[in-house]
Amino acid sequence: MAKKFVVVVGGVISGVGKGIAAASIAKILTENGYKTTAIKIDPYINCDAGTLRPTEHGEVWVTSDGGEIDQDLGNYERFIGDEIPKINNITTGQIYQAVIEKERKGEFLGETVQFIPHIPNEIIRRIELASEHHEITVIEVGGTIGDYENIPYLFALKSLERKIGINSVCYVLITFLPVPNHVGEMKTKPTQQAIKLLSQHGIFPDIILCRAVKELDQVRKKKIEIYANIPADMVISAPDISTIYTCPLNFERENLGKKILNALDLNPKQKSNWSSWQQMVSRIINPSREVEIGIVCKYIEIGNYYLEDAYISVKQAIEHAGAGLDCKVKISWISANDLELSDEEVSQQLAGLNGIIVPGGFGTSGIEGKILAIQYARNNQIPYLGLCLGLQLAVVEFARNVVKLPEANTTEFKPESPHPMTVLLPSQVEIMKNSRYGATMRLGAYLANIKIGTLVHHLYQQYNRIEKDQKLISYLQSDPHQKFRLGVINNQSAYTQIIERHRHRYEINPQYINPIQQKGLQFSGYHQPLEESVPLMEFIELTDHPFFVATQAHPEFKSRLQDPAPLFMGFIQAAMKNHYEK
Ligand code: GLN
């Protein structure tokens, strides 16, 4: 079958949910039987999202193959359910870097290297590469129509269309229809302007998705129909919803899948089956139970606003586990800086929570507040889940208060600490010396040998992850470039293996493993790199506690609505116990 593309562009304002719409379209096409993938175009000059500020761009998503990417790729994976590699993210930085490298290597000998055709050609080459093994590729163009930055991409997409034919590309425009307070009427003018701006690039939308606080009425549909010169049934309403997972269901109610396939000259290959997706969505909307957990973090405040996007995968993993357990999980966002108080004040702030999470993080601010929150959870038998930094700080807290090393710290926050609980591997010391910060952390999927009989093992087994990860292990074994991710596999009968994704520089200091274990904090899993002699600690757990588990990895990246992450399931179950069996 000839390759087909669905191009998703946004008009009017940013942040209208283009990523969720693109992910929903990819999901719908997958449900119709097509092998679908999705590409995110980020028109910024950064080569990847690794060095971007989380309060500006939200979380950095990590792919299995070690890409640090804009959060939209996470939505695609969560909706499609498939692994999406880093090649599916295209940034202007990558495009220019590739063209300049080729020029330096003499690949354009004799030619003047110019914006047109060299930049669009490289964009098309990258799109073709990412779409290689798929029938349909959804391409989300970042930014808003009218931005200077996305002009080369629109130009490239138009040339791609010329090359493969108009019936192989379907354009979807997502706009926003404001209802100004003082007028009280939904306005179509900004949408009309977005259509006009898009047409300046020779692009006419096949479908317009209209985001608004409420459903679009016939009057406004008609107005857009006339202005865009497309039938009214191609103008689709996308009102605000309580959970993003209703989005594909709502689109399907308007037959969006069939309409897109029609524009691409295709027919559905199979009858889509949304029953289990629908069941999870109903549980999110009408849960039977409710618990409240606290996330002690720091990237949420920007000016007078809160941006929870910095922790979007953690939030999603909680929502998935909640849906899996038919329980609404209310999240209290707690700024770690506000916790740097006395013990009593910390107890007052955290009282009533059924569980506490310390997610990933970088830099010193808020560290002591996070440690106090962990101490509170440990002492008061409150379920605790630590993610990456949340593991490192749990070890520091335990070393200070149980092993009685009051000056214990991590080398990231106090390099001169007499009791450093974390260290940099020699390879990382070199990287830091040369200030090479981009794409140099321990990134992507790594195998962990987990001890059979531990709580961590029990959870991974209960939710069938050991079996599923075996497939990924076999795949990595066959790829010479990715094989290092497995390290040394412990074949003794006391161990089994799983795979999670990572994004960190520091590792638990092997010197302290024994003293810590002797006092009761168990290391329940480790990774053994091929090239380093020290094992890297991957999981910890306390046995005399209802649930005190932390991981050096980010299990939130592998959580899906229909396949929640085992540690999140264990944590929410413990939070429910805390709430209902008190
Ligand atoms: N800052 C810590 C490190 O680099 C933890 C990183 C994280 O939480 N993702 O090791």
Side-chain angles (χ1 to χ4, degrees), residues 294-298 311 314 333 357-362 370 384-391 393 554 556:
I295 300 187
V296 182
C297 55
K298 72 167 186 181
Y311 301 99
V314 176
W333 297 94
I357 291 182
V358 172
F362 297 83
K370 290 179 186 177
Y384 173 70
L385 178 62
L387 306 169
C388 202
L389 180 66
L391 173 137
L393 297 182
H554 288 280
E556 63 270 26

Side-chain angles (χ1 to χ4, degrees), residues 112-129:
T112 309
V113 181
Q114 287 175 303
F115 176 68
I116 292 176
H118 297 92
I119 296 299
N121 283 352
E122 178 61 20
I123 295 171
I124 295 172
R125 189 189 72 81
R126 281 291 308 273
I127 290 175
E128 286 174 341
L129 202 61

Side-chain angles (χ1 to χ4, degrees), residues 139 163 190 241 305 480:
I139 305 173
K163 195 167 144 189
I241 38 178
Y305 297 90

Side-chain angles (χ1 to χ4, degrees), residues 174-220:
I174 314 214
T175 67
F176 179 66
L177 288 91
V179 184
N181 267 344
H182 63 286
V183 187
E185 186 201 349
M186 191 182 281
K187 291 295 191 185
T188 60
K189 183 69 79 190
T191 297
Q192 296 175 23
Q193 278 160 351
I195 297 166
K196 194 167 160 188
L197 275 173
L198 194 57
S199 70
Q200 287 170 3
H201 299 277
I203 295 175
F204 300 92
D206 295 287
I207 288 165
I208 301 180
L209 295 180
C210 299
R211 287 280 299 111
V213 282
K214 27 181 203 186
E215 204 73 51
L216 211 67
D217 60 8
Q218 282 311 321
V219 177
R220 266 136 278 263

Side-chain angles (χ1 to χ4, degrees), residues 359-363 387-390 392 412-413 441 503-507 552 554:
F362 297 83
L387 306 169
C388 202
L389 180 66
Q392 298 172 355
E412 180 179 5
F413 312 122
M441 281 189 250
R503 182 171 187 255
H504 58 104
R505 270 187 219 286
Y506 294 84
E507 305 289 348
Q552 189 60 79
H554 288 280

Side-chain angles (χ1 to χ4, degrees), residues 8 63 72 134 175 198 201 232 272 307 346 355 367 383-384 391 426 449 500 517 529 555 567:
V8 177
T63 59
D72 287 311
H134 294 85
T175 67
L198 194 57
H201 299 277
S272 46
L307 183 82
V346 169
I367 290 304
Y384 173 70
L391 173 137
N449 296 292
E500 291 289 9
Q517 293 217 112
L567 295 192

